Amino acid sequence: MRKRSAALCGAAVVMAGTFTAVPAEASAPGTGTTTRQTAKLTWKSCATEDHPTLQCASLKVPLDHRRPHGEKITLALSRVPHTARTFQGPLLVNPGGPGGSGLTLAGFVASSLPQKVAAQYDVIGFDPRGVGASKPALDCKPGRFAPVRPDSLPATPAIERANLARARSFAAVCGKKYAHLLPYIDTTGAVRDMDEIRQALGAKKINYFGYSYGTYLGAVYAKFFPERVRRLVLDSVVDPTDVWYEANLNQDVAFNDRHRAFLAWVAKHDTTYRLGTDPEKIEATWYAMRTALAKKPAGGTVGASELEDTFIPGGYYNGYWPNLAEAFAGYVNDKDPEPLVEAYEDFGAVDASGDNGYSVYTSVQCRDADWPRDWRQWRNDNWAVYEKAPFMTWNNAWYNAPCAFWPTDSLRPVNVANGKLPPVLLFQATGDAATPYEGGVTVHRLLARSSLVVEEGGGNHGITLSGNACLDRHLAAYLTDGTVPRGHGEADAVCEALPDPKPAAAGTASAKAASAPSNGSALHGLLGFRH
């Protein structure tokens, strides 16, 4: 992954002239819909302690949008209603995945934006088809990730056969359990659901804010319905030109870089973790730990695959680094497996909602695009990547391997190139591992009136509303009145990344006490992993 210099642009702020603070369509929410659909939304309080004004509703939509009067499924929606006299319409939010639940994200976004901005929108969360509280919700094989799984590294034919059997079995179980649903669990179906939500809300246009896979979802919506997009924010941008097989291979290289950044941070804090000052030697120690765990799992729970599951989240968010370093050091220096087991339970273990998320993830990704059906290609490609990027390559390969055996036909990826949109705002960190930097540049090129804000030196995935005031100023300005930066280089504006976290203070019981932006931790708890 290529790094970019801070001198990416000479940015000037411009106004998106096609917008006004109170557009006609936003001021008249009862227009542009049918009575049948509008009547379906009945909002009821589903308040939480953190989000006391949160409301919930459900909406029936066609399973097959080509047959609008056929079988229906139910989408779960959430809302934080606007409170200002100026109403800018609905702001749909999505946390990514595919498979991420968006219900709580509505409350997070509404409470994290400046109050004057959030008050002008109905912030709308939703569980896409198959997800969470939407019905039916998919769960192909509960407990699929229960420890201890086979070693992800297929160092012997027997290990490879064991992992292949798991992948085939998962695909077969999904195909049998959800035969009539799987042909409709894909991005295009979710996009058409979004337009049903728009109609049910009574809006001629929507505003949209998506993270991670949610950026692809938003870009595809904009391609299908450009005239129905008012404002569009995409944070941590998926490269739509390599969905999804190539995207995962590219992730492997980027996550390896990010894991090495974590190890360099550990080296920098040798006085705390006592693992040495040489990142390469610390890396060797980490892989020695992996080898040991493959033979004897920590606490009978954390084997080699579970170790990878535990440390992969550190590639998404550096706020987890103190916890991970403490677990690493405890195992190596003190021969204590407990911190490692605790870290696995915090970051790597998969619960029932994770089983659901994975079922939808595979269903969407395997359906969205062609995947190689010849395992020999997977084997050759992943060994080639592993040689330069061993950290996540085979773990990621087995995570996606059901797509080699998926029981549905595949669709073509959507060409999201679009010259019909109003100004669009993109956010991208230069060191993002889950959606590498080039994806943001590619979408900036494909969306004719987009502006790209770069977090220079940042490595986190999901960067707005996460503690970086510079990024959040651009977001707030855009949502207030359509203001976007316009520069002359690859990026239209550059924000410096936040500093990496500090280790836990001496004497604290856990690295959880280490300083990290609270919003960052909250956001990444909602975004989850593997997006």
Side-chain angles (χ1 to χ4, degrees), residues 60-142:
K60 291 188 179 298
V61 299
L63 173 64
D64 181 353
H65 285 279
R66 295 169 300 181
R67 297 177 175 83
H69 301 294
E71 180 180 353
K72 298 294 195 296
I73 58 175
T74 302
L75 303 180
L77 311 180
S78 64
R79 176 178 74 168
V80 177
H82 74 284
T83 55
R85 293 183 63 183
T86 298
F87 177 42
Q88 301 212 49
L91 173 64
L92 272 65
V93 297
N94 180 272
S101 168
L103 298 183
T104 305
L105 184 64
F108 172 83
V109 169
S111 61
S112 300
L113 286 169
Q115 195 275 331
K116 289 183 179 179
V117 177
Q120 298 179 29
Y121 290 91
D122 284 349
V123 183
I124 307 293
F126 62 101
D127 280 356
R129 52 178 51 205
V131 175
S134 292
K135 303 297 180 187
L138 275 59
D139 191 349
C140 295
K141 196 170 186 179

Side-chain angles (χ1 to χ4, degrees), residues 307-380:
L307 178 73
E308 291 164 344
D309 296 347
T310 302
F311 279 76
I312 284 170
Y316 285 87
Y317 176 52
N318 62 4
Y320 302 142
W321 287 4
N323 252 67
L324 296 174
E326 186 180 68
F328 181 15
Y331 182 84
V332 171
N333 295 330
D334 305 326
K335 314 303 179 190
D336 182 1
E338 289 307 311
L340 196 57
V341 172
E342 182 181 350
Y344 166 73
E345 291 170 349
D346 287 343
F347 305 124
V350 176
D351 59 12
S353 66
D355 284 334
N356 165 244
Y358 179 68
S359 296
V360 177
Y361 171 94
T362 47
S363 298
V364 172
Q365 293 224 339
C366 300
R367 170 81 172 139
D368 264 5
D370 284 327
W371 291 74
R373 295 288 180 157
D374 184 343
W375 183 253
R376 289 173 296 183
Q377 182 177 344
W378 289 70
R379 181 189 294 126
N380 292 337

Side-chain angles (χ1 to χ4, degrees), residues 479-519:
L479 292 178
T480 297
D481 55 21
T483 299
V484 294
R486 292 292 189 204
H488 306 290
E490 189 172 73
D492 297 283
V494 174
C495 294
E496 291 302 311
L498 297 175
D500 286 331
K502 297 178 181 179
T508 59
S510 169
K512 290 178 181 178
S515 61
S518 57
N519 251 33

Side-chain angles (χ1 to χ4, degrees), residues 412-431:
R412 293 180 182 178
V414 176
N415 178 358
V416 304
N418 205 326
K420 300 179 180 180
L421 296 173
V424 171
L425 191 57
L426 314 175
F427 292 92
Q428 190 69 40
T430 55

Side-chain angles (χ1 to χ4, degrees), residues 231-254:
R231 293 196 181 124
L232 183 66
V233 180
L234 308 180
D235 182 329
S236 303
V237 185
V238 166
D239 187 337
T241 64
D242 65 5
V243 296
W244 292 111
Y245 181 72
E246 292 293 333
N248 281 282
L249 294 174
N250 292 335
Q251 273 189 340
D252 297 337
V253 176

